[in-house]
Amino acid sequence: MSFLDISLEEKQKALAELRDVKQLFADRGWFAGTSGNLSIRVGDFTPEQFHFAITASGKDKSMQTPEDFLFVDQQGKPAETTRLKPSAETLIHCEIYRLTGCGAIFHVHTVFNNLISEYFWDRKSVPVDGVELIKAFNIWDEEAHIDIPIVSNYADIPRIVPEVTSAFNPQIPGIILRKHGIYAWGANAFEAKRHLEAFEFIFEYVYRWELLKRGG
Ligand SMILES: CSC[C@@H](O)[C@@H](O)C(=O)COP(=O)(O)O
Ligand SMILES: [Zn+2]
């Protein structure tokens, strides 16, 4: 399906959803110093061809302007004429869409996701034991254990892509970049938001539990 075949209505719906999520996360202080990026996929999907709307690079994401988003293709190239630059991390979104066929990807930097990524860097994953909120990931087993993958954070974004490919676990809708932030995804914006919120809750819980165990 070419970009032109995707209805204007679907494109506008994606932009409206991105605007709402961006405002909500900004109000939570989740875009410190222009960090973070958001995307929503539009049109049909095959791993070889897809399109998505993504935040433009380097913007103050707490502001709403007419130049906040643009559409790109599966290679991260603009799908229409624009002077906007897609997020510097667009290739990570491309890889997550290619692997999952998901509908939305949200990336935020928070103090808890940074701290936890460094604390558990040696084991390359955050262990989570029996926390109720993993049900947000559709994991319903009693006292289930999960490991949330952590990958290296290189300045050269294309180097991060194969890390994401090899760390990807279809049961866990998120990957942490070391001392950087989390990528969370879902079938649509509602699910990606639910996953991101669950991850952030879990990171704070695990961090505080580790402190408590040490008498802090
Ligand atoms: C300004 S620090 C954050 C950036 O380096 C990057 O990690 C980030 O999340 C935002 O980049 P962007 O190109 O605006 O999508
Ligand atoms: Zn980032």
Side-chain angles (χ1 to χ4, degrees), residues 35-37 89 107-109 177 180-181 183:
S35 64
N37 36 70
E89 294 168 353
H107 165 64
V108 296
H109 301 205
L177 269 56
H180 177 156
Y183 278 84

Side-chain angles (χ1 to χ4, degrees), residues 44-103:
D44 292 346
F45 173 83
T46 68
E48 293 78 33
Q49 196 186 33
F50 54 88
H51 297 88
F52 57 96
I54 188 161
T55 42
S57 184
K59 300 271 177 177
D60 178 346
K61 282 134 194 149
S62 66
M63 307 289 286
Q64 303 277 17
T65 82
E67 301 204 313
D68 290 338
F69 311 105
L70 68 158
F71 287 93
V72 298
D73 65 15
Q74 68 284 342
Q75 294 176 325
K77 304 252 164 60
E80 51 191 354
T81 308
T82 175
R83 58 198 180 98
L84 299 179
K85 258 186 66 179
S87 164
E89 294 168 353
T90 299
L91 289 180
I92 299 176
H93 291 249
C94 291
E95 182 60 0
I96 294 168
Y97 283 123
R98 190 187 71 80
L99 288 166
T100 65
C102 70

